[in-house]
Amino acid sequence: MKIAVVGTGYVGLVTGTCFAETGNYVTCIDIDHRKVEKLSNGQITIYEPGLEKIFLRNLKEGRLDFTTDLASGIKDAAIIFLALPTPPGEDGSADLKYVLGVARDLGKILTDYVVVVDKSTVPVGTAEKVHAAISENYNGPFDVVSNPEFLREGVAVDDFMKPDRVVVGTRSERARKSMTELYAPFVRSGNPVIFMDERSAELTKYAANSFLATKISFMNEVAQLCERLGADVDMVRRGIGSDDRIGKRFLFPGIGYGGSCFPKDVQALVKSSGEVGYEFKILEAVMDVNERQKLHLIPKVSQYFGGELAGKHFALWGLAFKPNTDDIREAPALYMIDALLEAGATVSAFDPEAMANVKALYGDRVKFAENQYDALESADALLIATEWNEFRTPDFMRIVKSLKNKAIFDGRNLFDVDAVKELGFHYESIGRAPSK
Ligand code: NAD
């Protein structure tokens, strides 16, 4: 099948590459000339484990190409995916200007029947808006389908190639047939393609992300309580997670959720609810809890230094919003950096993949280290914001040698409290007793 993917970011590039991997001819379209040039030359533009190998293979075998030109990119495509940004607008609702802008442009160039698929996360009713935007200039046949994406950055290729489920919102038999054919290779082990109407599909994506964000914020509140009541959140987590109804996953407390999805999607669902006269109270609380949690470590650090952060220098391990990605959108680490700089402290940071993105934002207001140990040089304490695997079993002796104080503030609960205590560290984490 010939496929076009409009928007070649984290979702578009993975989508395009994975569809090419199953034998389709895929053209990815992006307005960013530099991105398209790099990709056309075989240079991958995001860090995503496993992606580069299949990207290069499909590029070489001529099943994947890139262009900035929408008209030539969609030529002969049976399905056009829109994987465009839907950032929060000023009022918190999803800004549809990219999606509807491209839909209008499509209306000017379509000539034959095509399936246009909303892959972006979009509010309920967007499929109808996309339909209307295309129809402004095109009166031939087409269908608009909602096919929200559930991949997770860091494991995106696996998630895309072996999805738990594929959600397809369409009431058109013709579109259903195309989508069934396209996704057949991805669901051979029996995971379902769930067909539903467009509105239900659109809401499914927001409900899924909002539920997961709720689970995280719930656990962060339990952790807050543990700190005040002298309970250990690791034990509580294990205790409740072994109940099948609750499940083990997404119960790890930390310094809040970030990324380009949870924060904006929870906010957008609250906004959509408000627009139809419903106050989604749980999600309002989820957002409040997350805001508070992002800076949870800062007062602990401040207290350790007698309330004075000015002039202190901190090592920060982890910048990406989660491990195995270079994505720093809404990363808790950035909130910590802002708070520390504002208090007059300085920061030396290390992240295996995300430093270039942070440097583009902060320039030389933050120092970037060659490796995790260089970041510790002359630092007053170590702060941890992302649970990269390589931070889990560090050389504690090197940490002791480099840090001015044996103090670690861990926003991701990487270490065993007793083990670190034995090494003589002042160690504070989330929802567990500090070792002093
Ligand atoms: P992104 O910012 O990484 O990529 C979007 C791309 O669209 C960029 O390369 C940008 O240059 C391009 N673009 C913007 N306007 C364009 C235009 N007019 N024509 C062509 N290209 C254009 O965004 P993303 O993270 O891939 O997210 C895309 C959508 O998918 C969002 O709605 C997001 O909520 C959703 N989503 C994201 C994830 C994730 O993990 N990142 C997961 C599921 C769903």
Side-chain angles (χ1 to χ4, degrees), residues 120-177:
S120 301
T121 302
V122 289
V124 174
T126 301
E128 289 145 51
K129 288 184 182 164
V130 168
H131 199 284
I134 294 173
S135 301
E136 283 174 22
N137 294 296
Y138 175 66
N139 56 17
F142 70 101
D143 282 306
V144 178
V145 169
S146 165
N147 171 220
E149 182 48 56
F150 296 95
L151 64 77
R152 295 161 297 166
E153 287 174 21
V155 279
V157 173
D158 255 14
D159 280 351
F160 201 94
M161 296 304 292
K162 290 175 267 171
D164 289 342
R165 78 321 204 170
V166 176
V167 169
V168 179
T170 183
R171 285 161 297 162
S172 150
E173 261 315 308
R174 195 170 176 186
R176 181 183 172 128
K177 232 178 127 237

Side-chain angles (χ1 to χ4, degrees), residues 5-13 29-32 35 46 67-68 70 82-87 97-99 101-102 105 119-122 148-153 156 205-206 209 260-261 264-265 321-322 327 329:
V5 179
V6 191
T8 314
Y10 285 89
V11 169
L13 185 58
I29 300 137
D30 206 286
I31 43 163
D32 184 336
K35 200 177 265 193
I46 55 170
T67 179
T68 52
L70 187 64
L82 307 183
L84 293 154
T86 48
K97 69 169 180 256
Y98 302 97
V99 171
V102 170
D105 291 343
K119 192 55 139 168
S120 301
T121 302
V122 289
E149 182 48 56
F150 296 95
L151 64 77
R152 295 161 297 166
E153 287 174 21
K205 174 65 190 176
Y206 281 105
N209 273 1
S260 67
C261 294
K264 86 170 166 55
D265 293 350
F321 84 93
K322 66 173 182 177
D327 196 345
R329 292 177 284 189

Side-chain angles (χ1 to χ4, degrees), residues 254-256 297 315-323 331-334 336 350-351 382-388 391 409-412 414:
I255 44 171
L297 284 182
L316 177 62
W317 283 4
L319 296 167
F321 84 93
K322 66 173 182 177
L334 305 189
M336 283 170 56
F350 175 75
D351 186 284
L382 166 63
L383 276 51
I384 300 173
T386 315
E387 63 275 36
W388 283 93
F391 300 156
F409 298 87
D410 177 1
R412 300 297 176 188
L414 296 191

Side-chain angles (χ1 to χ4, degrees), residues 362-381:
Y362 285 81
D364 47 20
R365 288 193 295 140
V366 171
K367 277 177 73 181
F368 296 94
E370 285 285 306
N371 61 54
Q372 70 198 77
Y373 297 105
D374 282 357
L376 305 167
E377 282 310 319
S378 311
D380 288 283

